Amino acid sequence: MSSKYKNKKIVTKYGKFDSILEYEHFIALQNRRDVLGLKRQVRIKLGKSKDCRVHYVADFVYYNPFKNTLVVFDSKGYQTDVFKLKLKWLLDSYSGFEFHLAYKNKIEILKPYSENNPELEV
């Protein structure tokens, strides 16, 4: 059975991945010198209220010691409306990180909308 967006979930010795593209990005990130503390499927709270249960789940989060910055990394074959909304909410809520939106053959680097927001901590 194929998924709605044609991605194929896979299981590897590193665990389950939602797509082959996500797995390929994971392997590539593991082999880079500018990636420290690589974490998978990181939940980031979006609402400011303690009762808010809305989260953005990043494919990967890591620290880049050469840029001295936290990186939120997401593999995408297709952007859903929910993804677009949560991405804007994330970029509007925190500062102190870069967002890497990775496709098959390119990566877009996005920055938070304001540096006056609280720093993202994961």
Side-chain angles (χ1 to χ4, degrees):
M1 181 176 148
S2 67
S3 76
K4 183 175 178 179
Y5 300 108
K6 308 281 189 250
N7 59 311
K8 181 180 175 186
K9 295 185 181 206
I10 62 170
V11 178
T12 72
K13 67 180 181 180
Y14 301 108
K16 296 178 185 178
F17 292 85
D18 289 335
S19 69
I20 294 170
L21 180 64
E22 182 181 323
Y23 174 67
E24 289 171 350
H25 285 148
F26 174 73
I27 296 301
L29 289 170
Q30 275 194 318
N31 293 319
R32 286 177 36 185
R33 291 187 30 199
D34 63 344
V35 173
L36 293 179
L38 182 62
K39 297 178 186 176
R40 295 184 49 223
Q41 300 300 307
V42 177
R43 291 171 53 94
I44 302 169
K45 188 174 185 285
L46 293 176
K48 293 181 181 181
S49 162
K50 65 179 174 115
D51 296 323
C52 181
R53 295 186 182 119
V54 180
H55 290 84
Y56 179 87
V57 180
D59 290 335
F60 311 106
V61 174
Y62 64 88
Y63 175 71
N64 181 326
F66 301 112
K67 289 185 170 181
N68 192 28
T69 192
L70 189 65
V71 177
V72 177
F73 187 105
D74 217 310
S75 299
K76 281 288 174 244
Y78 176 82
Q79 289 187 26
T80 65
D81 289 340
V82 171
F83 167 78
K84 291 175 188 175
L85 177 66
K86 286 185 174 184
L87 175 60
K88 288 178 183 178
W89 196 350
L90 176 67
L91 294 172
D92 193 46
S93 297
Y94 296 101
S95 66
F97 72 101
E98 286 184 352
F99 189 93
H100 292 199
L101 182 54
Y103 299 97
K104 184 170 181 139
N105 295 315
K106 72 174 185 173
I107 296 177
E108 292 178 32
I109 298 176
L110 307 171
K111 301 272 188 179
Y113 298 144
S114 171
E115 290 300 319
N116 296 326
N117 290 329
E119 291 225 354
L120 178 62
E121 296 178 23
V122 291

